[in-house]
Amino acid sequence: MKAGVYACLLLLAASLLASCDEFLDTMPDNRTEVDEPNKVTDLLVSAYPVHDYIFFNELMSDNMDCYPRYSSHTSLADSCWMWSEVSEEATFSPANLWSDCFGGITTANMALEAIENLGGPTTTELREAKAEALMLRAYHHFILVNTFCAPYDKAKNAQNLGIPYQYEVERELNPQYDRGTLDKTYELIQKDIEEALPNIGETNIEDAPKYHFNINAAYAFATRFYLFTEQWQKAVECANVVLGNTPSEMIRNWADQATVARNATEQSQKWIDAEANANLLICTTYGNLRNNFGNYSTLNYYSHGRVIGDTETIRAKNVWGDQYTMYYVQPFTYSSNTLDRVLWFKLPYFFQYTNIIKGTGYTRSVYTPLTGDEVLLSRAEAYIMLGNYEAAVNDMNVWARAIYRTPNTLTVNSITEFYNKIDYYEPLNPTIKKHLHPAFNIGAEGSEQECLLQCVLQMRRIAHFVEGLRWWDIRRYGIEIYRRSIGFDGSSIEDVSDMLKVDDLRRTLQIPKRAIDAGFQRNPR
């Protein structure tokens, strides 16, 4: 089934779970109304996310500059770009992601409770449903800790605030939660992942496997988890399951992507195609991400414009090639009286009607939170941290050959020499190389290890363009970033107004006000 068609069906299913409270109202006598195995699978459809992190992660990252010559912005966008506390509860707000994750956790727990009420996971269908529910519970907690908790740091996790791990369906009117510590939260996420992985299967999801935690998606998420928690060998092992013996077949086929028309609709629909091997998990989300990050004047006050594109990302000279025109899909560049943006189209637009006669409903999008490209580049990063540089470079060459028509063949020496000739980034003299300050040891600046990490982080920044993952890499590697305003000419840097230092508490979003009012402990600011 094509991604766009199934996405529309999934929008209707996802709307069944508007909030945790709404769903709990349907559970009379504190019992889960699931008395047949197939209903467990149906219930799990509603445990997948319907809000995303893309909007605020991109705005908080170094992928956005300010363009005062344009006027379209919102208070939510302003708060995110300035790393201020976000009070807004609009469609793309962190508050909605918080509710969405806890709603998904509640639904996963309902499924787990229902399986126990049915006598436990005694059949293949129920074993796989339990594994999917455990993976969903782990995934939602992982998104929460990487949004609302301090960056992972082995030396500080025992002191930093975590997220209360929810094992039960919450039925108290006003429960009080102890946030616990970050190391405990990660320990419990890992426990769920490792219990789920052996039983993940596709018996229940064969009609639309890409919209569920299929085997590849589950191991892709595990790869990300182990990478983020510095368990490099486990990250490699999980990545191997996804990539197999021919990793080139599991990543984005950019040559195929280039065969469709160069417009937003065709490119974005192609990007989310469920038939593409690279798309391991596909999710729907509320809101019009296409307009905010596309070739529209919507939100034109903040943009990934020519300055960033030419000096840091998809139009900049890189070790695999000098000319951005040699990408299979040449970056789209817009510069006018209403817009300055360099982009690729990844985020399609859908409309979910609630009343077809009146023409009312919700704007929706579809995105790919787990991809083969991320798995490949995560494995390359893990190999670097394990000291297996040749294996890392092999993976980096696979990625370069997929995205670029005639890439240079990369070696440890060529990467090291290339990066050592580049100055480190300054806000008024931007380059692709930024100082790295991770909590773990990466060797001296200019060493082979540091240069290889510079390269793989640059590849990740480009591969995950407008996917929200760059912000997490900024947090993981303690990359210091700036807030810049671009002049009227579109090429000069008019002002540098702020800097996010390595130890800046603004790297962690404040938990929503309604959660604080309900008794959750605030993050330090």
Side-chain angles (χ1 to χ4, degrees), residues 2-302:
K2 293 297 183 182
V5 175
Y6 187 75
C8 292
L9 296 176
L10 192 64
L11 301 181
L12 299 176
S15 64
L16 295 174
L17 186 63
S19 71
C20 171
D21 291 337
E22 266 181 39
F23 204 85
L24 288 174
D25 287 343
T26 71
M27 310 307 297
D29 302 322
N30 287 342
R31 293 185 61 81
T32 307
E33 291 187 310
V34 179
D35 54 7
E36 297 175 15
N38 65 311
K39 290 185 179 180
V40 177
T41 303
D42 294 341
L43 178 62
L44 285 172
V45 172
S46 295
Y48 284 85
V50 291
H51 289 91
D52 66 273
Y53 45 78
I54 295 173
F55 181 86
F56 52 82
N57 274 12
E58 284 295 314
L59 277 161
M60 291 189 297
S61 78
D62 54 358
N63 283 341
M64 293 287 169
D65 278 328
C66 176
Y67 285 77
R69 65 181 291 195
Y70 305 128
S71 59
S72 177
H73 60 108
T74 64
S75 57
L76 174 60
D78 295 342
S79 297
C80 295
W81 190 77
M82 294 186 292
W83 310 308
S84 302
E85 287 202 20
V86 179
S87 59
E88 297 83 358
E89 296 192 3
T91 299
F92 298 117
S93 67
N96 276 349
L97 182 71
W98 173 278
S99 297
D100 192 40
C101 285
F102 277 111
I105 292 165
T106 293
T107 308
N109 284 333
M110 285 179 175
L112 292 168
E113 181 181 277
I115 291 168
E116 292 307 309
N117 289 342
L118 288 165
T122 56
T123 66
T124 298
E125 290 79 4
L126 288 175
R127 281 193 297 273
E128 292 184 5
K130 180 177 180 179
E132 183 180 3
L134 289 170
M135 196 62 70
L136 276 161
R137 187 166 71 183
Y139 179 78
H140 285 299
H141 281 101
F142 179 84
I143 297 299
L144 286 168
V145 297
N146 280 280
T147 303
F148 300 103
C149 296
Y152 186 92
D153 183 339
K154 287 182 178 179
K156 299 177 181 178
N157 287 343
Q159 290 77 48
N160 287 333
L161 289 170
I163 293 291
Y165 212 85
Q166 304 253 331
Y167 279 105
E168 305 293 336
V169 177
E170 187 53 68
R171 294 185 171 92
E172 294 182 29
L173 182 62
N174 186 27
Q176 298 298 306
Y177 294 110
D178 178 2
R179 288 185 60 177
T181 61
L182 193 51
D183 61 346
K184 186 63 176 179
T185 306
Y186 275 108
E187 175 189 329
L188 297 175
I189 293 172
Q190 182 164 336
K191 181 175 182 294
D192 271 354
I193 291 173
E194 292 180 349
E195 183 178 350
L197 281 178
N199 294 311
I200 284 287
E202 301 181 3
T203 304
N204 303 325
I205 60 174
E206 56 187 13
D207 288 342
K210 296 296 184 72
Y211 286 83
H212 294 266
F213 267 111
N214 56 74
I215 295 170
N216 281 337
Y219 277 91
F221 170 49
T223 301
R224 181 191 291 176
F225 174 83
Y226 290 128
L227 187 80
F228 280 34
T229 55
E230 303 167 29
Q231 300 179 71
W232 317 116
Q233 185 57 44
K234 287 186 176 181
V236 169
E237 291 167 2
C238 288
N240 289 344
V241 175
V242 180
L243 299 171
N245 296 323
T246 52
S248 60
E249 294 181 1
M250 293 304 300
I251 64 174
R252 184 72 52 189
N253 186 340
W254 282 90
D256 187 45
Q257 182 76 25
T259 62
V260 301
R262 282 180 59 83
N263 63 62
T265 299
E266 296 293 328
Q267 287 286 320
S268 60
Q269 288 280 3
K270 182 71 171 176
W271 188 266
I272 63 160
D273 186 0
E275 301 300 319
N277 289 345
N279 294 333
L280 307 180
L281 180 67
I282 303 172
C283 290
T284 66
T285 183
Y286 281 105
N288 193 344
L289 286 170
R290 180 192 67 176
N291 284 11
N292 287 314
F293 298 124
N295 56 331
Y296 296 87
S297 59
T298 307
L299 209 67
N300 58 11
Y301 196 72
Y302 302 110

Side-chain angles (χ1 to χ4, degrees), residues 246-258 271 278 320 326-330 344 372-373 376-377 394-408 410 459 462-463:
T246 52
S248 60
E249 294 181 1
M250 293 304 300
I251 64 174
R252 184 72 52 189
N253 186 340
W254 282 90
D256 187 45
Q257 182 76 25
W271 188 266
W320 56 86
M326 293 307 295
Y327 285 108
Y328 277 108
V329 179
Q330 184 176 325
W344 281 315
D373 294 69
L376 179 70
L377 295 176
N394 285 341
D395 282 348
M396 293 155 79
N397 273 314
V398 170
W399 181 84
R401 286 192 292 268
I403 195 171
Y404 204 78
R405 293 180 186 275
T406 55
N408 299 323
L410 305 180
M459 288 179 168
I462 290 174

